[in-house]
Amino acid sequence: MSQHIAVERKRRRQMNEHLKILRSLTPSFYIKRGDQASIIGGVVEFIKELHQIQQSLEAKKRMKRLNTSPAKAPLHPNSIPETPCLNAYNSFKEVEACCNSPVANVEAMIFGTNVILKTISRRIRGQIVRIMNVLDRLFLEILHLNISSMEDTVLYTFVVKIGLECHVSVEELASEVQLSFRSEEAYKEN
């Protein structure tokens, strides 16, 4: 009986060590809590995303190979985006863009397979909905949102997942979000 208990303790210890390793290899915003089910669920989601990115990159690689083949006719120039889109960056590259105005400061940074988007402005009624509409239109899924405010200033921090349909650069993302603040300016003038 005591041998069975010792074997079970060793198995649990190994399981906990493996869970610690999995947790350390997975970006923190995939794992909501520290329990085993949350860790495993977060790791599964992360692996699914990596698998989708791998498939997307392999498809782009095949397309590139076909496009550079001398036997193939060149594609129409409008069929390939001129600026690298968010999906073109791999999970190890970090790219950042800022778009500031008197109304708001917008910062977007690619972090792994996600984008961290920060905006700071005075408190504007309905602004968060406008930002969320921009993200939705650009095929970016909100994973996490943090709102911090002090007096009349508000900081929105979004962690968004890059969808496979997303075809904008990080600069274009920051610019589109900045435009959502300008639409508030035009609304107030009328």
Side-chain angles (χ1 to χ4, degrees):
M1 184 75 164
S2 71
Q3 184 180 12
H4 176 70
I5 292 172
V7 169
E8 182 61 23
R9 281 186 186 152
K10 183 178 178 186
R11 187 194 65 78
R12 275 194 236 137
R13 192 171 30 255
Q14 286 177 332
M15 181 69 97
N16 287 334
E17 287 175 21
H18 292 311
L19 284 169
K20 283 180 188 176
I21 292 169
L22 285 173
R23 188 172 189 167
S24 71
L25 293 173
T26 306
S28 60
F29 37 82
Y30 286 92
I31 300 171
K32 308 293 186 244
R33 294 181 308 274
D35 62 286
Q36 292 179 355
S38 295
I39 293 170
I40 292 170
V43 170
V44 167
E45 288 302 310
F46 183 55
I47 290 171
K48 282 180 184 177
E49 271 193 42
L50 291 176
H51 185 67
Q52 285 178 338
I53 290 167
Q54 178 190 12
Q55 288 177 332
S56 173
L57 291 173
E58 285 173 355
K60 286 178 184 178
K61 187 176 175 182
R62 282 192 299 273
M63 289 299 292
K64 193 173 187 177
R65 233 181 324 198
L66 290 173
N67 292 338
T68 58
S69 169
K72 298 286 179 187
L75 291 175
H76 188 275
N78 293 334
S79 64
I80 300 172
E82 291 179 17
T83 58
C85 68
L86 294 173
N87 265 327
Y89 299 107
N90 65 32
S91 60
F92 302 106
K93 212 174 220 180
E94 290 184 21
V95 178
E96 188 174 340
C98 294
C99 191
N100 299 328
S101 77
V103 178
N105 292 343
V106 177
E107 179 183 306
M109 182 175 83
I110 295 178
F111 186 78
T113 58
N114 297 306
V115 175
I116 298 173
L117 174 70
K118 294 181 181 180
T119 68
I120 189 164
S121 67
R122 63 180 172 72
R123 195 180 310 265
I124 301 171
R125 185 178 192 152
Q127 183 59 43
I128 194 162
V129 174
R130 283 189 285 281
I131 295 171
M132 291 169 75
N133 288 336
V134 168
L135 297 176
D136 187 52
R137 184 170 40 86
L138 298 176
F139 300 100
L140 294 165
E141 179 185 340
I142 299 170
L143 298 175
H144 180 75
L145 168 61
N146 185 40
I147 303 171
S148 304
S149 64
M150 178 183 282
E151 296 176 10
D152 196 35
T153 303
V154 65
L155 168 68
Y156 298 124
T157 304
F158 294 85
V159 176
V160 293
K161 176 178 162 183
I162 302 168
L164 291 176
E165 302 86 8
C166 181
H167 296 289
V168 296
S169 69
V170 70
E171 293 85 5
E172 291 167 328
L173 170 61
S175 178
E176 288 289 321
V177 172
Q178 183 62 253
L179 285 174
S180 75
F181 282 94
R182 292 190 186 131
S183 65
E184 169 66 17
E185 254 182 3
Y187 173 78
K188 283 198 166 216
E189 288 175 3
N190 293 332

